[in-house]
Amino acid sequence: STLKVEFPKFCTLLNSTAKKDDEELVEIVPKMDWQSFEKLSDTEIENILDRFNTMTSQKLFPGLMYAFQMIARWAGYDGVSRVLQLLRVRDGLIVLSKLLLELKKAALHFQDLLLLEELMVAVVESMGWIAGMESEVGSVASEVVVKQAPEAVHTLKSILLEFTSFKRLHVVGRGALGWLENRANIPDTGSPTLSLEPGSVPPSHEV
């Protein structure tokens, strides 16, 4: 069985900008208890989005991206969670679209293309979860997603056209694009394929 990590330690690492802390975050993300994510405060979620908004291609945080991927998976699977509402209302799709463009810039100086693809997959999968699960709490979140979706569709399409050799990115990307186009009322280019189960971990970190 997977060892579970104490939630306060996870939050401490999540809020750190130190490289060594981010490296530790990469290690512990697969060991996190899904249910603990509901304990994330509004401020902690907003801090992650703020960091993504200011992240540059020269300074990327893999651990933070893997953590966000897992948070988005859990929130999306839960469907009615406060965390998912917050990710939508706080322009989560727009922030992640900007981050994808920074990852595109990073390709110019990135030595490890496998890692670059993993990071893109983490971001794109998060976008799919935010767009893909409809809330039963009310229509506000859905309206927000509808407004954000067109920009996200445009960005994701440009990424998929440019990075044709990233096979896993294309598999996840087509699923996310299906959900985003649906929210943006664009004719579907393929069936949404996000069907992850709780307890799954980022593909590169399966144990």
Side-chain angles (χ1 to χ4, degrees), residues 15 17 27 31 38 48 76 80 92-94 129 136 174 200:
N15 290 319
T17 55
E27 296 300 317
K31 301 172 186 175
E38 186 61 32
I48 296 173
V80 295
L93 286 177
I94 299 300
W129 278 118
E136 295 171 15
R174 283 195 300 272
S200 60

Side-chain angles (χ1 to χ4, degrees), residues 23-185:
E23 288 168 353
E24 187 173 357
L25 197 55
V26 169
E27 296 300 317
I28 74 166
V29 162
K31 301 172 186 175
M32 283 303 301
D33 177 7
W34 283 73
Q35 297 303 318
S36 62
F37 294 138
E38 186 61 32
K39 293 187 244 171
L40 282 168
S41 69
D42 290 8
T43 301
E44 282 163 336
I45 291 288
E46 287 167 354
N47 284 345
I48 296 173
L49 291 170
D50 284 345
R51 281 174 68 191
F52 280 167
N53 235 341
T54 56
M55 210 178 278
T56 67
S57 62
Q58 301 289 332
K59 191 174 184 182
L60 299 166
F61 293 94
L64 187 66
M65 289 187 217
Y66 294 143
F68 193 85
Q69 178 186 32
M70 210 162 178
I71 291 164
R73 279 186 187 187
W74 173 81
Y77 183 87
D78 188 57
V80 295
S81 84
R82 171 189 59 82
V83 174
L84 183 61
Q85 296 286 330
L86 193 64
L87 292 178
R88 287 168 160 168
V89 174
R90 299 299 186 204
D91 294 338
L93 286 177
I94 299 300
V95 173
L96 292 172
S97 296
K98 289 179 183 174
L99 182 54
L100 262 188
L101 295 175
E102 286 301 321
L103 285 165
K104 177 181 173 180
K105 289 181 195 171
L108 300 173
H109 57 79
F110 228 71
Q111 300 299 316
D112 187 346
L113 291 181
L114 182 62
L115 175 60
L116 180 63
E117 182 179 15
E118 283 184 10
L119 299 182
M120 285 185 167
V121 166
V123 174
V124 171
E125 189 184 78
S126 298
M127 292 167 76
W129 278 118
I130 291 172
M133 299 299 159
E134 281 302 273
S135 168
E136 295 171 15
V137 176
S139 61
V140 176
S142 295
E143 289 171 9
V144 170
V145 169
V146 166
K147 288 178 183 175
Q148 296 177 50
E151 181 179 330
V153 166
H154 176 75
T155 301
L156 181 51
K157 279 185 173 178
S158 72
I159 293 293
L160 294 178
L161 282 171
E162 181 153 345
F163 295 91
T164 54
S165 64
F166 286 5
K167 302 303 181 190
R168 195 150 55 84
L169 175 64
H170 275 258
V171 171
V172 175
R174 283 195 300 272
L177 195 57
W179 286 118
L180 290 165
E181 288 179 332
N182 179 276
R183 299 299 174 254
N185 294 315

